[in-house]
Structure formats: C-alpha cells, structure tokens
Amino acid sequence: MVTLPTTFTWGAATAAFQIEGDRAGRGETTWDAFCRVPGAVQDGTDGDVTCDHVNRYREDVRIMRDLGVGAYRFSVAWARVQPTGRGDFSAEGLGFYDRLVDELLGAGIEPWLTLYHWDLPVELQLQGGWASRRVVDPFVEYALGVQEALGDRVKRWATHNEPWCAAWLGYGGGIHAPGIRDHALATRATHHLLLSHGRAVAAMREQDADAAYGIVLNLDNVRATDDEAVTRAALPAYDAVRNRVWLDALAGRGYPADALDLLAPHLDGATVVGDMEQIATPVDFLGLNYYNDERLEAADGQVPVGDTVQPGMERVRTADPGAGATAMDWPVTPEGFTDVLRRLQAEYAELGPVYVTENGSAWDDDPTPSADGVIEDPDRVAYLQDHLRALEQARAEGVDVRGYFAWSLLDNFEWALGLSKRFGLVRVDFETQERTVKRSWHAYREHIAASGTARAAEPEAAAGA
Ligand code: FCB
C-alpha cells in the first residue's frame, strides 16, 4: 500500500469529448468532423454518446464519492458553453457544468477544471484553428466567461491539456483532429496554444486572484534502445519539441535553441514582441500527464522531412515495446515516471508544485465480473501500484508533487482509437451504459483510504505558495 500525507490530493480525471455525449446539446467541434473522416477513428465510433455523462453525472459523482477521491479533473466542452466559439454563452451549456460542480461539492469533491481538452469549435478551425493567431482572443474570452459562471466555486484552473498533442498530433502527424500534416502549422499551433494559455491565466487571475492557475503537459523521457548514431542524435531533438519547448517557454527562458534549429523557419512572422513574456505569466502549479517513456531505435530508411509527427525524427522510429506492453502498445516504465518528476524538481521548480493530472493504462479487460461483481483487471492494478510507488519514491527524494489523478474514472472514447481502448477504473458497457467497478477501482480506493484525505485543500494561490 502506498500511503501519502493527508494533504495529498487524490483524484480521478476525464475529458468532455471522451465521456459527455449529448451531441445535440453543443456546437460542432473539430473532433466531430474528424470522426466522420473514413478511417480516422479506428473502430469508426464518435463522440455523440460515449458515456452519456451529461445525463448520468449524478451516478458518476456517486462512484467517485464511494471511491474516496477528494478531487475530480474534468474539462469543459467549449462548444457546449459557446457553440461557435465566440459570442453569447449558452445558459443551458453552462447549466450542465453548474449542476456538475454543485454535485461534486455536495459529495466533498473539489472540481479541477480544464478549459481545453482538444475539442475546438469548428467555426474557429475554419479560421485556421490553433495555427492562426485569431484563436487567441476567443480562447481568453471563453476562459473568462466560464470563470464568470463557475469561479465562485471552482478554484483550480488548467488552461490546456497536453498542448503537444493538440499541436503535433493534430497539425503535424494528422493523427488527431483537425487531421493536418504540416510542420509549419504545428509550430504555429505550439506558439498560439502557449500564448493563449499565458493570456488566459493573466486575465483570469485579474478576475479571481485567489484561485490557482496552471497548464497540463505530457512529458516523458526519451531513450535509445540501440547504439546507432542516428538514434542518439535524435534524442535531444525529441526532448526539445516534446518537453523543453513548453517547459522553457513557460519558465520564461524562451524557446530552447535546439528546438529553434528545427522550428524557427516555421515561426517566421508568428511571434510578436511581448509574446514570450505573456507565455511566461507565472503559474501556480504544473499538471503532469505521464504514461510511459519513449524508446527510439534506428529506422531502416529515411522518412522525408515533414512526414514525421514532429521534426528531427526522420531516421528513427518507436521501438517495439516488447512483452508486458499495454493495449495501447505502450511499454510500462514506472522508473521513467520518477525520472520525469525528479527532472521537474531539478530543472523547472519555478513552475510550481506538480500535480500528476493523468496516469493510467488500457488493457483488454475480461468483461465477465467475478463472483463479487467486480471486473478483474490485474494488469491495471499492477500498473497503478507501480506508478504510485514511483511517485512515492520521487516524494521521498524531495520532489514537490502534491496530487495524483487516475486516468480514467470511466472507460471512454480514446480519440483515434475510439471506444476500443479501455482506461477506466470503472467499466462502461457502451450499449446499456451500465457502470461496473473493476478491481483497480478497489485497489485505488484502498490506497486513498490508507492515506486519508483532507478534502479540498487550499489552492496554492490562496495559500500564498
Ligand atoms: C492523454 C489524454 C487523455 C487520454 C489519455 C490516454 O494523452 O490527455 O485524454 O486519451 O492520453
């Protein structure tokens, strides 16, 4: 059992497009359009119903209350509260989040709100999406509107979820919406995501100085599995675009030189004097999503420049994950989790305390429950245990990591892989919407109970940390 102090935040995480459903209650997003592209989503599913959470949130909050979490990280669907991404806010759309927040607080669970988890209103995509600077003002307007409606009760705000994915999977590799493959546009998206983050934090802080503001990054280690010169040469480039470009810019150090070697030509004209200062608006916490390390090996040939997900990867590929990989084909690397936490403490402590805002694993669960009605998911239980130990190790070494949110509360829509990949602590039958807890739900509950929770700890900003 991993036991942590009662001030540690234990949570569960989800995202709007992945669980909400109620397609009729919101505007069209880039992900709706992407789901209609033949072959874009592996199993042909979409976000129309998923977990039907908009209609079942009370049950889902009850499941969390029974789990014992003190915090719930969810995202707001921009197109639900502002159907075209601009202009009037929808009272009905905001009403859903209003009820959800009240339900959470009533269950003793603190709401942690993420503003953008990849579902851009399609009208904004028609103007260029994140590749265009025109998206920045609407994002700030959206952030302020949501805060005006919920800020009396929501005190933990994250601007973006995994902007690397939004930029490089969305505009670089074309694997996510909007399905564009253009390194220049992905680079511009990188800059505009960061700029919109800094501007939104500054504006929201003016509205509420007592709340805590942050951003959620997916960071990992990159390692070579062979001794080839091309693999070794790719490691810094990978780290630069995946990790340091975000961390350095947020920490006020500008874009790292080796990232600029790859990206500068694409940034031409995109950066304006003063942007980097705005991007470096201080944050109160850093959200870390960690799943696994990246392992590279030399590829057989060379991919043309521009054809990789991110630049600098033309002569390498992801190595075979080997035995024990998850259903995503991701290797299980808990030691890398400790390493990333150590690195944040050693190199980026100014970004504030770290909260692990996502960590979890997908497995092909056997849907038949055992005699006590629980779905047996031993691999997920082991993954959870190993990663909590890795986190405990980092804390023991002095890393200021203050919370952990399991991904995910529910099986849900796993982006380009659709409903086929299950990350939930709770199984969802997508035909009947029945929820069944898995053994990992019980395991997580025991860790939380052993630690004890002081629910709703004071936000950093209010605490003056
Ligand atoms: C992260 C996403 C999250 C989920 C997990 C598995 O990249 O933030 O929405 O899909 O991966």
Side-chain angles (χ1 to χ4, degrees), residues 69-88:
V69 289
Y72 173 48
R73 172 173 178 248
F74 64 99
S75 79
V76 169
W78 189 343
R80 187 175 297 287
V81 302
Q82 238 185 343
T84 62
R86 291 229 80 164
D88 290 345

Side-chain angles (χ1 to χ4, degrees), residues 8 341 345 353-356 391 394-395 399-404:
F8 191 81
L341 289 165
Q345 184 73 40
V354 175
Y355 287 87
V356 177
L391 182 151
R395 277 184 63 94
V399 176
D400 188 6
V401 50
R402 299 190 189 176
Y404 176 92

